[in-house]
Amino acid sequence: KYFPPGFDKGSNFTDFVEGYSKVPLDEMNKHFRPITHQCNIPIGMTYDYILDVERLSEWYELFVQHLEIKEEAQHGWNIQTKYFKGHKECFYTTPGKDCAEMFLQPEQSRQREFSLDKEAAPETFHATGSASKLDKYYTPETAIQVSKILKNDIACFGYSFWNGRGKYSNMVTV
């Protein structure tokens, strides 16, 4: 069930957010549930790595090499299932590369260490280019409501609150 209780499928995004703001976290659809709650962080679960999807192109190659799963990531993903429509041989490619070019040469790998530099902000927080669509769906009130729903994620992962005004990149860090 993707929609909050009482949500009319003909309604708008603001109504969707308003509906979800009233749903207890344990009852939210896992696609919309805050990540901190989904991953049990408030009750003490810890993780070795927390990787930002919006920075995928920055960390993916080095992380795959760090885990020593290059062969697994590079081959065997062109499969079709009910939910997955494989379209290329490898799991993921960074922009401008194909599967064959995906991983760094060994001499380059030794020069670069895997790290998660949270200080260097990405150009956009939306890897899919969705930042250009925010004004279509978000009002200032909706942005504040989403920030309230996701307040633990925002604080835990070092994101910023957005008040729904101006560019998404003009945010204030929590």
Side-chain angles (χ1 to χ4, degrees):
K1 184 176 177 182
Y2 287 104
F3 302 105
F7 179 77
D8 176 6
K9 292 179 184 175
S11 296
N12 60 31
F13 182 67
T14 299
D15 294 335
F16 179 85
V17 170
E18 180 63 32
Y20 257 114
S21 70
K22 298 173 186 169
V23 175
L25 295 177
D26 287 330
E27 295 175 23
M28 279 186 179
N29 179 288
K30 64 183 177 181
H31 293 92
F32 307 111
R33 187 179 300 152
I35 297 295
T36 48
H37 192 79
Q38 180 76 14
C39 295
N40 294 315
I41 291 172
I43 60 170
M45 184 65 110
T46 60
Y47 295 87
D48 292 332
Y49 305 102
I50 297 176
L51 305 169
D52 302 335
V53 175
E54 62 274 11
R55 293 172 174 245
L56 184 63
S57 65
E58 296 173 24
W59 58 255
Y60 181 79
E61 288 183 73
L62 292 170
F63 189 65
V64 165
Q65 290 178 4
H66 175 74
L67 295 178
E68 300 178 355
I69 58 170
K70 181 176 132 181
E71 290 301 315
E72 292 80 1
Q74 205 167 22
H75 304 288
W77 292 92
N78 193 18
I79 57 172
Q80 301 283 317
T81 69
K82 181 177 179 182
Y83 300 106
F84 182 74
K85 307 298 178 213
H87 59 283
K88 56 188 171 188
E89 182 62 19
C90 52
F91 179 73
Y92 169 79
T93 57
T94 54
K97 292 186 179 180
D98 62 22
C99 294
E101 301 170 317
M102 194 52 210
F103 295 95
L104 299 171
Q105 298 302 316
E107 61 276 2
Q108 293 172 304
S109 291
R110 284 192 292 275
Q111 294 171 3
R112 293 178 62 196
E113 289 288 321
F114 172 72
S115 70
L116 298 173
D117 181 7
K118 293 289 274 186
E119 299 301 317
E123 286 183 31
T124 176
F125 285 89
H126 294 273
T128 60
S130 61
S132 65
K133 300 175 184 126
L134 290 174
D135 289 342
K136 180 177 179 181
Y137 297 99
Y138 280 85
T139 64
E141 294 77 23
T142 305
I144 291 167
Q145 190 66 44
V146 168
S147 291
K148 286 179 182 177
I149 295 169
L150 299 175
K151 68 182 176 190
N152 290 338
D153 285 6
I154 292 168
C156 182
F157 303 127
Y159 288 103
S160 301
F161 285 100
W162 178 56
N163 65 7
R165 294 183 175 89
K167 289 189 171 200
Y168 184 71
S169 58
N170 295 333
M171 300 180 296
V172 177
T173 304
V174 178

